Amino acid sequence: QAAADPMSSSDAPEDGPKETSSVSQNISDADAFKILLEMKMKKRQKKPTLPSTVTELDTEDGSKVYVVGTAHFSDSSKKDVVKTIQEVQPDVVVVELCQYRVSMLKMDEKTLLKEAKEINLEKLQQAIKQNGVMSGLMQMLLLKVSAHITEQLGMAPGGEFREAFKEASKVPFCKFHLGDRPIPVTFKRAIAALSFWQKVKLAWGLCFLSDPISKDDVEKCKQKDLLEQMMAEMIGEFPDLHRTIVSERDIYLTYMLKQAAKQIELPRASETEPRKYIPAVVVGVVGMGHVPGIEKNWNSDLNIQEIMSVPPPSASSKIFKFVIKATVFGLMGYGCYRIGQRTVQFILSMPAAQSYLQKLTEIKSQH
């Protein structure tokens, strides 16, 4: 409509709105598609000015992928994402999220901040029900790490993904894809890779994480993703954990970016119009720690079937699960016992109960 009627409403004559309406209705679907596509292509910079955190990758058929490396708690990362999408006007935006974390896109910063800080028994039960005992506990421990950072910085995670979602919606014919491996698969594979004592040691380290974090520390982590950097201190002892949480996800993210970068079909006004394909332009938004792995895997033939399988629980997992359950039920039993004992003592201390017991004693002595 704007292209059909460049005259502003203040300059239009009295019968202007009627003319505008008739002109708008006369625009065919084909013309509307062409106008939107031309607008997009005009905005798309041939030589875009991109932030230093962007890595440019090419495919065999001429598609371009711009990978924005971010720190998950960084204001400047959000700006980098917005600038990149505005400059390249992509056909697809891929973010490091899976369907289990998509709610992050719908909540505002205030709600997410509250959610990250409130880790309660209900959340723990839900995580265990969804992912199993070990994976649920691991998820809660990592959420505790996230909450610790959130509390230190006063900033909720995932801001760069929300900005990517908003900006993608402003670009004509732009699709939005979730590019990360489902989190239950990642946690279950991570747990299966650890021995019993490694699980205990990892849980202990995450439980007592309390080092202060500043915004300057976060900006430094634009060279390496924040959560992964904190985990990296333990990588020497947990190489298998690094493989499942970082390296395997590098492969998965690379695979999803390459899928998104396949040639795209131009919008058609009708079914009779011949199909036309052009190279795609893709923006990927991932943690900075994944960028080297994506570059490394870019020209490889990737098969994600193996890294999507969940191995059966090991003997150590079964032992740890039994210990956790025994501890929980033991605490519940002891709690019930203590409550029951105090309840009986309270009832017996009541005058009415004492009087009733005295009468029973007298009746018994008479017989």
Side-chain angles (χ1 to χ4, degrees):
Q1 290 178 4
D5 182 26
M7 188 183 293
S8 66
S9 58
S10 59
D11 296 330
E14 288 184 356
D15 57 347
K18 291 181 182 178
E19 290 178 6
T20 302
S21 177
S22 63
V23 171
S24 300
Q25 289 173 1
N26 289 334
I27 292 180
S28 65
D29 288 344
D31 289 336
F33 281 130
K34 285 177 183 176
I35 290 167
L36 284 170
L37 199 57
E38 284 173 10
M39 286 170 59
K40 178 174 178 172
M41 293 305 176
K42 281 180 181 178
K43 284 186 178 181
R44 182 179 284 177
Q45 302 296 320
K46 289 184 178 179
K47 291 184 178 180
T49 305
L50 300 172
S52 60
T53 53
V54 175
T55 300
E56 186 177 335
L57 301 168
D58 298 303
T59 67
E60 293 177 356
D61 57 17
S63 296
K64 286 194 174 292
V65 178
Y66 300 92
V67 182
V68 188
T70 68
H72 293 324
F73 293 81
S74 166
D75 278 327
S76 63
S77 282
K78 292 192 278 187
K79 293 174 184 175
D80 289 350
V81 169
V82 171
K83 181 173 178 58
T84 303
I85 292 175
Q86 288 176 349
E87 286 281 315
V88 306
Q89 293 290 294
D91 304 299
V92 186
V93 171
V94 181
V95 295
E96 186 198 329
L97 285 177
C98 67
Q99 65 266 37
Y100 293 92
R101 293 183 290 157
V102 74
S103 59
M104 189 178 285
L105 298 173
K106 300 174 185 177
M107 294 189 218
D108 55 47
E109 294 275 340
K110 190 175 180 181
T111 306
L112 277 168
L113 199 62
K114 185 180 177 184
E115 284 284 316
K117 289 183 179 181
E118 292 179 357
I119 302 175
N120 51 37
L121 185 60
E122 186 180 347
K123 282 186 181 178
L124 178 60
Q125 288 174 334
Q126 187 178 357
I128 289 174
K129 186 178 179 181
Q130 186 180 29
N131 304 313
V133 175
M134 291 300 303
S135 297
L137 287 171
M138 177 67 76
Q139 187 174 341
M140 285 297 102
L141 286 172
L142 288 176
L143 186 58
K144 181 182 181 295
V145 174
S146 180
H148 169 68
I149 302 168
T150 298
E151 193 171 6
Q152 293 276 323
L153 301 177
M155 184 189 303
E160 73 272 36
F161 303 137
R162 288 188 289 283
E163 290 298 325
F165 184 67
K166 288 177 195 172
E167 286 302 314
S169 68
K170 299 174 186 176
V171 179
F173 312 117
C174 182
K175 296 177 182 178
F176 189 85
H177 289 184
L178 304 176
D180 202 2
R181 182 172 65 178
I183 200 166
V185 175
T186 297
F187 281 133
K188 285 173 183 175
R189 286 184 63 84
I191 291 300
L194 298 177
S195 69
F196 173 76
W197 292 113
Q198 282 178 323
K199 290 168 189 171
V200 172
K201 195 166 186 178
L202 177 64
W204 183 267
L206 291 172
C207 278
F208 293 94
L209 180 74
S210 59
D211 294 339
I213 298 163
S214 68
K215 290 190 177 182
D216 288 337
D217 294 329
V218 173
E219 291 308 314
K220 289 175 187 174
C221 290
K222 288 179 77 174
Q223 303 305 313
K224 192 171 178 80
D225 180 55
L226 182 57
L227 289 178
E228 286 160 13
Q229 185 180 17
M230 298 173 77
M231 294 289 285
E233 295 176 4
M234 294 182 277
I235 289 303
E237 300 174 64
F238 307 110
D240 291 328
L241 194 66
H242 181 270
R243 174 177 55 80
T244 52
I245 290 182
V246 181
S247 301
E248 288 183 359
R249 287 172 61 225
D250 290 345
I251 294 171
Y252 191 92
L253 287 164
T254 306
Y255 178 84
M256 296 302 286
L257 285 167
K258 290 179 85 169
Q259 289 296 308
K262 289 183 176 180
Q263 284 196 331
I264 60 166
E265 181 184 347
L266 289 174
R268 292 186 298 161
S270 66
E271 292 295 326
T272 57
E273 189 176 333
R275 297 176 185 272
K276 294 179 182 178
Y277 296 88
I278 60 170
V281 173
V282 177
V283 169
V285 182
V286 304
M288 183 59 78
H290 290 295
V291 175
I294 291 170
E295 286 186 274
K296 178 185 173 184
N297 292 301
W298 189 250
N299 294 316
S300 305
D301 291 328
L302 303 174
N303 184 354
I304 62 169
Q305 294 301 318
E306 184 184 344
I307 62 171
M308 286 299 290
S309 63
V310 178
S314 62
S316 64
S317 292
K318 291 177 181 177
I319 293 170
F320 198 75
K321 185 176 179 179
F322 174 77
V323 170
I324 292 292
K325 282 188 174 180
T327 303
V328 170
F329 284 119
L331 289 171
M332 286 175 63
Y334 180 71
C336 291
Y337 165 74
R338 292 294 296 172
I339 291 170
Q341 191 180 39
R342 289 179 181 177
T343 303
V344 171
Q345 289 174 349
F346 175 72
I347 292 171
L348 291 177
S349 67
M350 295 174 66
Q354 289 179 353
S355 175
Y356 180 72
L357 287 171
Q358 188 175 2
K359 285 181 181 179
L360 283 175
T361 306
E362 289 174 358
I363 291 169
K364 188 176 181 181
S365 62
Q366 287 174 3
H367 289 282

